[in-house]
Amino acid sequence: MRVLLVGAGGVGAAAVGIAARRDFFERFVVADYDLSRAQAAVAGLESRGFAAARLDASSAPAVAALCREHGITHVLNAVDPRFVMPIFDGAYAAGAHYLDMAMSLSRPHADEPYSRTGVKLGDEQFAAAGRWLDEGRLALVGMGVEPGLSDVFARYAADHLFSRIDEIGIRDGGNLVVEGYDFAPSFSVWTTIEECLNPPVIWEADRGWFTTEPLSEPEVFDFPGGIGEVECVHVEHEEVLLIPRWVDARRVTFKYGLGKEFIDVLKTLRKLGLDRTAPVRVGGVSVSPRDVVAACLPDPAALGHRMTGSTCAGTLVTGVDRDGAPLTVYLYHVVDNEWSMREYGSQAVVWQTAVNPVIALELLAAGVWRGAGVLGPEAFDAVPFLDKLVEYGSPWAMREQ
């Protein structure tokens, strides 16, 4: 296996640190628009097959050319969702397989954004599924933690725990605190604003996909791992678009444990129009309000040494067990920031995101996971993946509610 990792930011750098402890690949090229960042990610690992390159991820021809230069077999996309389609198309043009952790962007319905879907997350990629299938190549989409591990949990529940699933609800929360900052998101600010302020999508078997108001239907969820109760709200997320394609469930939702302060900040950004991506004129310069917000906040990848606490990703499943009795379980994965910083030098949120595509690459390299077309994590056997997560030193758990 010869891997091209696009993006040497927090998640990309964490993926390098994780992959450096494995031996399933022959070559691992790390590319970034900022060559020095790619070089820093692979420093000292050149003898292990790692290399750095400069790449403009907005150019599909540039992605394809770099793939051909290094004989790449698998492209791992670790940049924000704005660049999904050029990387996806560039990998296809070069004859490579493809993995990402977030799917192509949505566009709200023009007239009824809070009741009807417009262009959904991943629609552009699924529209190309036929040609990937015809070529016998795999585009594994949504293979991070959420989406990704959360979808693997859904597959495991369907195959091993339930005879009927009434609802699959992804619940994500944490108690991370960043010393010295009143407000410092632990993940990409651009992506956080995108998923939290777009119309959230819900799936119901008798209705299909539909939307609702951002940050709606608050609930307090008790997270494990010492995190405790966090207020969760509906946000747009890929699981709702992926899980119903392969797992039979009456309802699928995603709620993010943002907490009241974070929710209030997002509502303010939305009210002031600072969530917008379209440029506005300021003096003689055109700037995107969202880019300005991101530039004013600290880089999440650089906050690990100031962080304390844990993050939890999990899948809440309600239905009927194999014996016909009611059952509700929460399958989850907790990462403590002190552990991830000590073991890998990466803060908890980016490490938890990065470990999952590396495991998927190892399963693909070994032929344990096989497939063609545009597929989500639910399309594969969950057990080998969950076993690898334990092998990597970061076990998952299950709580019966």
Side-chain angles (χ1 to χ4, degrees):
M1 176 179 282
R2 299 175 68 89
V3 179
L4 169 62
L5 168 64
V6 182
V11 173
V16 171
I18 297 164
R21 302 188 183 189
R22 315 301 293 186
D23 60 2
F24 61 86
F25 56 88
E26 174 189 353
R27 187 74 163 160
F28 206 109
V29 179
V30 180
D32 197 280
Y33 190 79
D34 181 350
L35 178 60
S36 65
R37 192 158 69 163
Q39 290 170 330
V42 303
L45 297 172
E46 293 83 358
S47 64
R48 293 284 320 281
F50 286 85
R54 186 187 180 280
L55 177 64
D56 177 1
S58 68
S59 169
V63 173
L66 190 59
C67 286
R68 295 187 185 105
E69 178 184 345
H70 291 275
I72 296 300
T73 62
H74 292 74
V75 175
L76 172 56
N77 177 357
V79 294
D80 77 53
R82 287 175 288 181
F83 303 101
V84 162
M85 289 312 296
I87 300 172
F88 178 82
D89 291 337
Y92 178 82
H97 303 281
Y98 170 88
L99 297 86
D100 64 29
M101 292 166 269
M103 299 194 299
S104 59
L105 292 173
S106 64
R107 292 191 293 278
H109 191 278
D111 301 316
E112 301 175 61
Y114 305 128
S115 59
R116 299 173 60 187
T117 61
V119 176
K120 301 187 298 300
L121 291 169
D123 274 358
E124 290 182 83
Q125 291 171 286
F126 282 113
R131 57 188 173 95
W132 284 81
L133 182 61
D134 291 344
E135 293 283 336
R137 284 189 280 125
L138 172 65
L140 175 50
V141 297
M143 192 60 256
V145 59
E146 290 174 338
L149 178 57
S150 51
D151 305 71
V152 172
F153 285 147
R155 176 80 273 158
Y156 180 85
D159 288 347
H160 299 281
L161 302 176
F162 289 84
S163 61
R164 188 192 79 213
I165 294 177
D166 294 327
E167 181 167 353
I168 296 174
I170 313 306
R171 298 293 182 267
D172 175 301
N175 62 353
L176 293 166
V177 176
V178 183
E179 180 187 359
Y181 290 95
D182 290 332
F183 184 74
S186 57
F187 200 66
S188 163
V189 177
W190 198 99
T191 304
T192 300
I193 293 173
E194 177 75 14
E195 65 190 19
C196 291
L197 295 181
N198 273 353
V201 181
I202 296 171
W203 160 267
E204 291 182 358
D206 59 354
R207 188 174 173 183
W209 285 293
F210 62 95
T211 57
T212 187
E213 288 277 349
L215 311 176
S216 59
E217 295 186 22
E219 68 174 66
V220 175
F221 188 80
D222 185 14
F223 288 92
I227 294 170
E229 294 185 342
V230 182
E231 183 176 342
C232 300
V233 290
H234 282 300
V235 304
E236 180 189 53
H237 232 254
E238 286 88 348
E239 290 93 328
V240 181
L241 287 311
L242 285 170
I243 289 171
R245 298 175 189 269
W246 289 281
V247 177
D248 186 13
R250 295 181 176 183
R251 179 177 165 92
V252 182
T253 62
F254 184 102
K255 286 189 177 181
Y256 199 176
L258 296 168
K260 185 179 185 305
E261 181 188 17
F262 205 136
I263 292 169
D264 289 343
V265 169
L266 288 170
K267 287 180 176 178
T268 301
L269 291 175
R270 183 186 180 196
K271 186 178 295 185
L272 297 176
L274 295 175
D275 61 318
R276 291 180 295 172
T277 58
V280 298
R281 294 289 293 178
V282 181
V285 180
S286 292
V287 294
S288 158
R290 190 185 301 183
D291 287 344
V292 172
V293 172
C296 290
L297 292 170
D299 178 4
L303 296 177
H305 65 291
R306 291 177 174 267
M307 278 187 186
T308 56
S310 300
T311 184
C312 177
T315 303
L316 181 68
V317 188
T318 302
V320 176
D321 71 12
R322 297 284 168 157
D323 296 321
L327 177 65
T328 299
V329 297
Y330 183 58
L331 301 100
Y332 65 91
H333 182 243
V334 173
V335 176
D336 175 69
N337 190 73
E338 181 184 355
W339 175 86
S340 65
M341 287 297 296
R342 182 179 67 249
E343 292 293 318
Y344 287 90
S346 295
Q347 55 105 318
V349 176
V350 298
W351 189 91
Q352 188 184 45
T353 304
V355 68
N356 299 288
V358 176
I359 290 175
L361 284 169
E362 183 163 350
L363 293 175
L364 292 169
V368 176
W369 275 12
R370 300 173 182 267
V374 178
L375 303 178
E378 306 87 346
F380 300 91
D381 184 2
V383 172
F385 189 98
L386 296 175
D387 287 347
K388 280 287 180 188
L389 194 61
V390 175
E391 182 185 317
Y392 275 50
S394 188
W396 63 285
M398 182 174 72
R399 179 181 71 188
E400 190 166 338
Q401 301 287 94

